[in-house]
Amino acid sequence: MDGVVDEVEEVHEKTIKAGEILKQVKEEVRSLVKPNTKLLEIAEFVENRIRELGAEPAFPCNISINSDAAHFTPKKDDDRFFKEGDIVKLDIGAHIDGIIADTAITIDLGDNGDLVLAAEKALESAINEVYAGADTSAIGEVIEKEIRDMGFKPVINLTGHGLLPYLAHAPPTILNYRTNRGVKLEEGMIIAIEPFATTGVGKVSERGETEIYSVVAKRPVRMKQEREILKEVKKYKTLPFAKRWLKKAPNIIMNKLVREGILRSYPVLAEIEKGLVSQAEHTVIVEENGAKIVT
Ligand code: CO
């Protein structure tokens, strides 16, 4: 049994180290996000700093602006800039040997301080509900309450999640609203809690643009271009990667790999009524009487 204990210890240690790296990257990047800075510059800064500090990006740096909520990352040679008034979510992940820490912050370049605070307060209250034996429905309930109390709506179809080696979205699903379908948290579980608050109706849908993919099945392919892409992305295992990280990734081939069930695509998710969206996220380890925040 000691072997199992050691293994759990090792996973927790790597989670904590990945979390420390993310803490530092968050601190460094915060002041760099400002009007007229390129989105690509920020994404590359985050990903390179994670590598320099001794981890690997667990997924491409997500930069979701205004009504975008998730899964946006710049494309190769992207020339878009941050603008005055933008509300910017940075969702960043680091992994060490597949062991992941995941965190997000919102940077307000306008006048949406209350919206940012709603997600932050919801996260803080949610973490206070975490202990071994706690029900995830209690977490969803406080998230919804904090956000509604500030006059906003939680985004109901984006969720917190468990973290397992090489799996950025593992069970349990942690809803951002009250439900009676909760599950019990167990001691030692690693979970990411990520409330989203919005001025819209509280729902996101795909808006078309796709830059992030992951491998979901291994299957032989006939085309040389497909084989080359699969060879290049093998090192990411089951973790998401960005199209811009690849030497060549024509849309026609990426779409074919998605149709064949080999790749999964992560289209950008935006609030359906174009409401502004804020997000806050921490990775925590469930402890007997509470939670250890690692990010
Ligand atoms: Co997450």
Side-chain angles (χ1 to χ4, degrees):
M1 291 307 286
D2 281 338
V4 176
V5 172
D6 288 349
E7 217 171 281
V8 171
E9 278 297 303
E10 197 193 320
V11 167
H12 286 176
E13 270 165 31
K14 285 178 178 168
T15 306
I16 290 165
K17 180 154 184 235
E20 289 293 334
I21 289 169
L22 292 182
K23 273 190 227 173
Q24 184 166 342
V25 175
K26 277 193 290 188
E27 201 171 297
E28 291 175 6
V29 77
R30 209 175 248 287
S31 59
L32 301 179
V33 175
K34 46 182 191 275
N36 303 320
T37 300
K38 270 189 178 175
L39 311 189
L40 184 59
E41 191 183 315
I42 293 302
E44 289 181 338
F45 174 84
V46 165
E47 292 161 7
N48 288 334
R49 283 302 283 149
I50 289 170
R51 294 186 188 105
E52 284 163 13
L53 293 167
E56 288 291 325
F59 47 82
C61 174
N62 278 223
I63 304 175
S64 303
I65 302 173
N66 298 335
S67 57
D68 279 357
H71 300 168
F72 178 94
T73 200
K75 56 187 186 213
K76 209 176 256 185
D77 305 319
D78 202 299
D79 58 5
R80 286 170 279 188
F81 293 83
F82 295 106
K83 294 192 272 303
E84 203 77 57
D86 280 349
I87 178 166
V88 180
K89 284 77 66 187
L90 294 184
D91 192 333
I92 67 181
H95 81 89
I96 296 168
D97 303 326
I99 315 295
I100 304 163
D102 180 2
T103 189
I105 51 170
T106 301
I107 298 157
D108 180 24
L109 302 180
D111 191 17
N112 293 291
D114 279 356
L115 186 59
V116 176
L117 194 62
E120 288 173 351
K121 278 179 71 179
L123 176 60
E124 195 186 322
S125 298
I127 291 172
N128 287 334
E129 296 293 324
V130 174
Y131 59 92
D135 199 289
T136 55
S137 62
I139 297 171
E141 187 169 345
V142 295
I143 289 173
E144 177 169 12
K145 185 176 184 310
E146 291 285 9
I147 292 172
R148 287 194 188 275
D149 281 355
M150 289 197 64
F152 304 108
K153 294 204 175 98
V155 174
I156 60 164
N157 56 343
L158 289 171
T159 71
H161 50 88
L163 289 162
L164 288 175
Y166 290 106
L167 260 193
H169 272 236
T173 294
I174 301 168
L175 297 170
N176 286 322
Y177 60 97
R178 198 189 122 90
T179 163
N180 37 34
R181 299 174 276 132
V183 296
K184 293 258 183 278
L185 296 178
E186 289 161 31
E187 189 172 353
M189 256 183 182
I190 303 163
I191 57 171
I193 302 180
E194 50 180 319
F196 291 80
T198 181
T199 59
V201 287
K203 217 170 169 184
V204 293
S205 67
E206 298 173 1
R207 71 154 169 79
E209 194 174 345
T210 304
E211 292 295 324
I212 302 176
Y213 298 83
S214 68
V215 176
V216 286
K218 282 196 182 115
R219 196 167 295 168
V221 288
R222 292 226 308 273
M223 283 178 69
K224 186 167 175 259
Q225 279 174 295
E226 287 185 286
R227 282 203 303 275
E228 278 170 1
I229 288 170
L230 292 178
K231 197 174 151 200
E232 197 179 354
V233 302
K234 207 174 163 193
K235 59 175 179 273
Y236 305 119
K237 300 201 162 128
T238 45
L239 292 173
F241 57 87
K243 209 154 58 181
R244 74 181 142 79
W245 291 354
L246 309 183
K247 285 198 283 290
K248 250 171 48 188
N251 279 335
I252 186 163
I253 306 296
M254 297 305 277
N255 291 341
K256 189 168 187 294
L257 286 163
V258 171
R259 277 200 311 276
E260 289 165 338
I262 295 167
L263 293 186
R264 176 193 160 179
S265 64
Y266 298 81
V268 176
L269 296 172
E271 214 284 328
I272 58 171
E273 292 223 317
K274 292 241 166 31
L276 299 176
V277 178
S278 65
Q279 176 195 16
E281 178 179 22
H282 273 309
T283 295
V284 308
I285 299 174
V286 179
E287 295 184 327
E288 191 184 348
N289 295 308
K292 180 181 174 62
I293 303 173
V294 304
T295 47

